[in-house]
Amino acid sequence: MAKHMVKCPICNETFDANQEEYVMIGRRYAHLRCKQSAQEREE
Ligand SMILES: [Zn+2]
């Protein structure tokens, strides 16, 4: 599978969207774990 390198807007790390779980935040790809931890901080 081709790599799909994207940058997480939460931790600012580049990752391969085909290798790691991600969520869409608007038009950006973020790590699923970053999104979940960000939500925990807000609550
Ligand atoms: Zn991240």
Side-chain angles (χ1 to χ4, degrees):
M1 187 180 286
K3 288 192 176 188
H4 183 192
M5 300 309 291
V6 296
K7 189 173 181 181
C8 173
I10 299 174
C11 68
N12 286 318
E13 287 183 20
T14 302
F15 67 98
D16 184 347
N18 289 331
Q19 296 289 330
E20 300 196 45
E21 288 188 293
Y22 66 88
V23 292
M24 297 303 295
I25 299 180
R27 299 162 80 178
R28 310 287 300 275
Y29 291 78
H31 291 115
L32 178 60
R33 62 175 183 271
C34 288
K35 181 68 164 61
Q36 289 175 332
S37 63
Q39 285 178 331
E40 285 168 12
R41 280 198 300 272
E42 287 170 11
E43 288 169 1

